[in-house]
Amino acid sequence: MKGNLNTRSMIFTIFGDYIRHYGNEIWIGSLIQLLKEFGHNEQSVRAAMSRMNKQGWVEARKIGNKSYYYLTPRGDDRMDEAATRIYKLKQEKWNGKWTMLTYSIPEDKRSIRDELRKELVWSGFGPIANSCWISPNPLIKQVHTLIDKYDISNYVHVFITEYKGPHENQRLIQECWDIEEINAQYKRFIDRYHPKYETVKKRIQTGNMSPADCFVERTKLVHEYRKFLFIDPGLPEELLPKKWLGNQAALLFSDYHKELAVPAGQFFESIFKKENQLHRKNKSFDILQHPLILEESGERL
């Protein structure tokens, strides 16, 4: 059901895939009209934007009697981090180093500790021991952002380190993440979306799918795929199992995303251009080729 899609999450998706490439700002009325395509009403959109404003993700400004919302620097950084992980089809080579964070946060700051754990999971850390989190990815920037955000510099230590045994690096992976379950989730994504992709491709080619339908389908696709940010730490290839389905899922996502891109973009612009500044669209933005999809010598990795 359309209404089951969380309003706040859908707004994040639309900001990440569209609005931030169009001057990073949108009139609330346009956003309401876009979200109606998913079954969200005006009240739910306004309430979600109010929460996002209080949480520091967006800010608002008035032009006459109209309210326009734009991403804060914090929101922009989160979008960049998410997009880098969503649209990257393959990890870079691993340098053998681990990012390690340890903390001892007092009991009277328990709520901060709980929020920190959620943020660490989202960024791709795994717990190797109580209050000790590790990642094979270079996440120093993200760690210091969290330290500043929660004002916890007195309670944490950060290391860049190597594992010296007594086991293999893969043992740490097994202890920190449920790789089999993550792989199973990718299989479910492939099993669900591959037949849909083939069906939608035929509908588009025969003119039986409207731009509005393509916009809805593309946004729902990104919305669904971005859920992997909360479970897949984005491990280097050297630390993944041989039968890893993440790369296959990424290719399916990329192909499906591109198939829907042009008509979806046309629908977005048809709504956006009425009360927003279409001329602020990023001239280098190519809806068919996301800049964060890695390429090498003209060949997709």
Side-chain angles (χ1 to χ4, degrees):
M1 295 291 292
K2 290 181 179 180
N4 288 338
L5 297 171
N6 179 274
T7 307
R8 179 175 171 275
S9 294
M10 294 303 293
I11 291 171
F12 269 117
T13 299
I14 292 173
F15 259 100
D17 229 28
Y18 295 95
I19 300 168
R20 71 195 195 106
H21 304 296
Y22 288 77
N24 200 30
E25 183 178 72
I26 191 168
W27 173 48
I28 185 67
S30 299
L31 190 60
I32 290 167
Q33 192 170 349
L34 290 169
L35 268 294
K36 280 183 180 177
E37 296 294 325
F38 304 91
H40 301 291
N41 59 36
E42 179 177 345
Q43 183 180 2
S44 68
V45 176
R46 291 187 182 276
M49 291 305 291
S50 177
R51 287 196 301 274
M52 290 171 67
N53 179 258
K54 291 177 182 177
Q55 293 166 347
W57 298 115
V58 298
E59 289 185 1
R61 70 183 183 107
K62 285 273 192 178
I63 301 179
N65 63 349
K66 290 183 169 64
S67 294
Y68 288 77
Y69 284 88
Y70 58 94
L71 291 172
T72 62
R74 178 187 168 207
D76 216 24
D77 286 345
R78 176 55 65 93
M79 290 298 169
D80 284 342
E81 184 181 352
T84 299
R85 293 170 61 192
I86 290 172
Y87 295 102
K88 186 178 291 185
L89 299 186
K90 194 173 182 180
Q91 292 289 343
E92 294 96 339
K93 291 290 184 180
W94 186 42
N95 64 4
K97 304 284 187 180
W98 293 85
T99 305
M100 176 183 290
L101 172 72
T102 67
Y103 58 82
S104 180
I105 299 176
E107 188 62 23
D108 62 354
K109 297 182 183 294
R110 180 192 302 175
S111 61
I112 290 177
R113 189 171 59 205
D114 293 341
E115 287 299 313
L116 177 64
R117 287 170 180 160
K118 293 176 184 177
E119 294 266 19
L120 289 172
V121 170
W122 191 91
S123 291
F125 279 91
I128 190 64
N130 189 34
S131 301
C132 181
W133 294 67
I134 63 172
S135 170
N137 295 318
L139 299 177
I140 289 296
K141 178 183 176 182
Q142 289 87 334
V143 167
H144 282 287
T145 296
L146 292 176
I147 292 172
D148 292 340
K149 176 182 176 181
Y150 294 109
D151 191 21
I152 53 174
S153 59
N154 289 333
Y155 312 115
V156 303
H157 297 287
V158 186
F159 305 87
I160 300 296
T161 185
E162 294 181 1
Y163 180 61
K164 296 298 183 181
H167 307 290
E168 299 295 323
N169 281 297
Q170 281 76 5
R171 171 73 174 265
L172 300 184
I173 299 301
Q174 295 299 326
E175 291 188 16
C176 292
W177 296 279
D178 189 344
I179 298 300
E180 290 186 5
E181 175 56 28
I182 297 170
N183 222 13
Q185 293 273 19
Y186 276 125
K187 185 178 187 305
R188 285 191 281 273
F189 176 85
I190 293 166
D191 290 346
R192 177 184 176 188
Y193 278 94
H194 187 267
K196 290 186 70 174
Y197 168 55
E198 295 297 335
T199 299
V200 164
K201 186 163 60 172
K202 290 178 182 177
R203 288 182 62 195
I204 292 173
Q205 290 171 351
T206 55
N208 291 316
M209 193 164 180
S210 70
D213 288 339
C214 289
F215 173 77
V216 169
E217 183 63 21
R218 188 174 189 253
T219 306
K220 288 166 66 176
L221 172 68
V222 176
H223 177 77
E224 189 66 27
Y225 190 72
R226 70 190 283 268
K227 292 178 182 178
F228 286 107
L229 297 180
F230 297 91
I231 62 170
D232 182 358
L235 300 173
E237 188 174 5
E238 295 88 339
L239 298 175
L240 291 170
K242 291 182 179 179
K243 295 183 179 180
W244 178 245
L245 296 175
N247 293 339
Q248 184 179 339
L251 285 169
L252 171 60
F253 167 76
S254 176
D255 290 342
Y256 199 174
H257 192 262
K258 287 181 179 180
E259 189 68 37
L260 296 159
V262 172
Q266 290 171 345
F267 176 77
F268 172 82
E269 290 193 356
S270 73
I271 302 299
F272 186 82
K273 68 182 181 182
K274 294 174 184 177
E275 296 290 345
N276 301 276
Q277 300 182 51
L278 189 58
H279 69 273
R280 294 178 63 192
K281 177 181 177 181
N282 186 344
K283 298 297 189 295
S284 65
F285 174 59
D286 181 355
I287 199 167
L288 283 173
Q289 184 58 64
H290 197 286
L292 292 170
I293 294 180
L294 296 180
E295 292 196 351
E296 186 174 272
S297 302
E299 296 294 330
R300 190 172 58 189
L301 290 176

